Amino acid sequence: MSIAPGSHPHVNPALLKHAEERANSLQNRIADKITTFAGSMAFVYLHVVWFVVWIVLGTLIGFDSYPFGLLTMIVSLEAIFLSTFVMISQNRADAKRQVIADHQWLLVQEEDKQNCQLLELSQQLVEQSRQILDLTKAVHQFTSAIPVPNPSSTPAAQG
């Protein structure tokens, strides 16, 4: 199962990588499918049908009459396994949150590095602007110290 970064434009790339790594393990794939099914309405409907059929047949045929000890034991075992899958699901959600947090931390570090580079560049620009201003002032002082000849006093204007 290959998940290309461009195939899901609104999903965090770190989560895509995490999902791809999870998909490599058969145990993770089985746990994901069970928790997906156990958290669905199909699971609820299946149990409603199962309980009704069990109670009706158990009562009529007599293989498990009231208080339905076998059904209680089976449902208790199922509850134990489902609670384990709930914990697996919570661990998976925690792992996803950690992947996102790690990815965001890397982004923050990269942005901080870029901000430091921008700050350095802007300080260099400020220093260069000061040098240009100093040179402009020096050129202005130099040119204002040179006397400007009057056009009417030049020999070409008199002649």
Side-chain angles (χ1 to χ4, degrees):
M1 178 176 161
S2 176
I3 301 175
S7 64
H8 302 284
H10 301 295
V11 178
N12 188 319
L15 281 181
L16 289 175
K17 182 180 177 195
H18 177 73
E20 195 171 73
E21 289 170 359
R22 274 193 65 77
N24 290 333
S25 168
L26 176 64
Q27 292 176 350
N28 287 336
R29 289 194 310 266
I30 291 170
D32 289 345
K33 289 192 185 306
I34 290 172
T35 54
T36 299
F37 176 66
S40 69
M41 285 306 293
F43 182 80
V44 173
Y45 299 143
L46 176 70
H47 279 76
V48 168
V49 170
W50 175 34
F51 293 151
V52 168
V53 169
W54 187 283
I55 291 169
V56 169
L57 290 179
T59 304
L60 293 178
I61 298 174
F63 72 89
D64 191 22
S65 57
Y66 183 81
F68 309 107
L70 182 59
L71 178 63
T72 303
M73 183 189 71
I74 291 171
V75 171
S76 297
L77 286 173
E78 182 186 36
I80 290 169
F81 282 108
L82 287 178
S83 66
T84 303
F85 286 113
V86 167
M87 288 187 279
I88 290 170
S89 179
Q90 288 175 340
N91 289 341
R92 183 177 67 224
D94 288 342
K96 284 181 179 180
R97 282 190 288 275
Q98 187 62 48
V99 165
I100 290 172
D102 292 344
H103 183 69
Q104 287 175 339
W105 176 244
L106 290 175
L107 290 177
V108 165
Q109 288 178 322
E110 182 63 30
E111 287 173 357
D112 185 48
K113 182 180 171 184
Q114 290 174 355
N115 287 341
C116 288
Q117 289 172 345
L118 286 173
L119 185 59
E120 239 178 75
L121 284 174
S122 49
Q123 288 172 346
Q124 289 173 2
L125 286 175
V126 166
E127 182 59 35
Q128 288 175 353
S129 297
R130 284 189 187 129
Q131 290 174 353
I132 291 171
L133 181 62
D134 291 343
L135 285 173
T136 304
K137 285 179 182 178
V139 167
H140 180 67
Q141 285 177 349
F142 179 74
T143 55
S144 60
I146 299 174
V148 179
N150 188 353
S152 61
S153 64
T154 60
Q158 294 173 357

